[in-house]
Amino acid sequence: MPSIHQLKPAFQGLLRPLVRTLARAGITANQVTVAAVLLAATVGALLLAVPDRRILLLLPLALFLRMALNAIDGMLAREHGQVSTLGAILNELGDVVSDAAMFLPLALRPEFPATPVVVLVVLAVVVEMTGVIGVQIGASRRYDGPLGKSDRAFALGALGLLLGLGLPEGGWIGWLLWALVALSALTVVNRARHALAETERQAG
C-alpha cells in the first residue's frame, strides 16, 4: 500500500550533500542515530513540562528533523563505509525508543485521550517489529504501509501543528487516533503478508 516511505529516495537526494559534509567532518552514523533518540527524549520531556498547547508546535519540527536524521544515519552507513552490527541494533531500537519517548507524553496532556495514544505507541513497536521479522524469515526488511514510521510521524506532526496553532480540541482527536490505531494494525498485517509472500517466491 502507498506510504510516505516511498518518497525516501528523493529526500535522500536532497540530503546527500550534507551527508558528504558530515562524513568528511568525522560524524558517524551511530552518533546521528543517538542524536535522533536524544532529540525525541528532549521533545517528550518538554511536552510533559510545558502546559501551554503551543508547545505542540515542536512536534512537526522535531519529527521532520528526526526523519532527516534517520535518513542521514542510513546514508552515512551505506555510502561511507560505516555499516556495523551495532549500527543495525541502534537503528531499530532507536526508532521504537524515539516513538515512545516523543509520543507517550501526549497521553498525559489534556488535549489527548490517553488510551488511543498508548495503544498507538504499542502498535508502533509491533509495526516495526513485524518489519524486522521479515529479515528473520529470509525476506527483506519490510516497510509496507499504510502507517509506517514516516506516515505516523506525518500524521502526528500535522495533528500537533493544528492544535498548536489553536484548532479547538474535542472528540475528533480520539476518533483520529483510533483511525491511526486501525491503520497501524492493517500495517502489521500487510508487512507480515508481504514478508510471507516474498519467502514463498524465493522458495518457488
Side-chain angles (χ1 to χ4, degrees):
M1 296 184 71
S3 169
I4 292 175
H5 181 76
Q6 294 167 344
L7 300 176
K8 188 174 182 179
F11 190 41
Q12 289 175 327
L14 295 174
L15 292 171
R16 190 158 280 111
L18 173 60
V19 172
R20 294 193 190 103
T21 300
L22 293 174
R24 287 194 294 268
I27 302 299
T28 69
N30 290 350
Q31 288 171 341
V32 175
T33 303
V34 172
V37 176
L38 294 176
L39 169 68
T42 300
V43 172
L46 289 171
L47 291 173
L48 283 175
V50 180
D52 190 323
R53 69 151 54 182
R54 286 175 293 183
I55 195 68
L56 294 172
L57 291 172
L58 272 181
L59 272 178
L61 296 173
L63 286 167
F64 179 80
L65 181 56
R66 181 185 153 201
M67 291 299 102
L69 291 173
N70 286 342
I72 288 168
D73 67 5
M75 294 169 69
L76 282 171
R78 291 187 304 272
E79 299 176 10
H80 296 275
Q82 299 182 21
V83 174
S84 67
T85 303
L86 174 60
I89 294 172
L90 288 175
N91 186 60
E92 295 296 346
L93 284 180
D95 283 344
V96 295
V97 170
S98 293
D99 271 1
M102 194 180 295
F103 299 145
L104 275 179
L106 297 177
L108 299 177
R109 293 193 61 90
E111 302 90 353
F112 292 84
T115 301
V117 170
V118 173
V119 175
L120 181 61
V121 172
V122 171
L123 275 177
V125 176
V126 178
V127 165
E128 299 311 317
M129 181 186 299
T130 308
V132 174
I133 287 174
V135 178
Q136 290 183 305
I137 65 174
S140 59
R141 171 53 161 99
R142 301 305 311 184
Y143 294 99
D144 309 275
L147 202 75
K149 176 178 63 178
S150 301
D151 311 287
R152 187 167 55 246
F154 178 82
L156 291 173
L159 180 56
L161 177 64
L162 293 173
L163 291 173
L165 290 175
L167 186 70
E169 60 191 83
W172 66 272
I173 298 175
W175 285 107
L176 175 60
L177 290 172
W178 283 118
L180 295 178
V181 165
L183 290 173
S184 296
L186 179 58
T187 302
V188 172
V189 173
N190 281 339
R191 291 190 177 188
R193 183 166 57 86
H194 283 97
L196 288 170
E198 187 178 341
T199 59
E200 290 170 0
R201 286 195 301 271
Q202 292 172 354

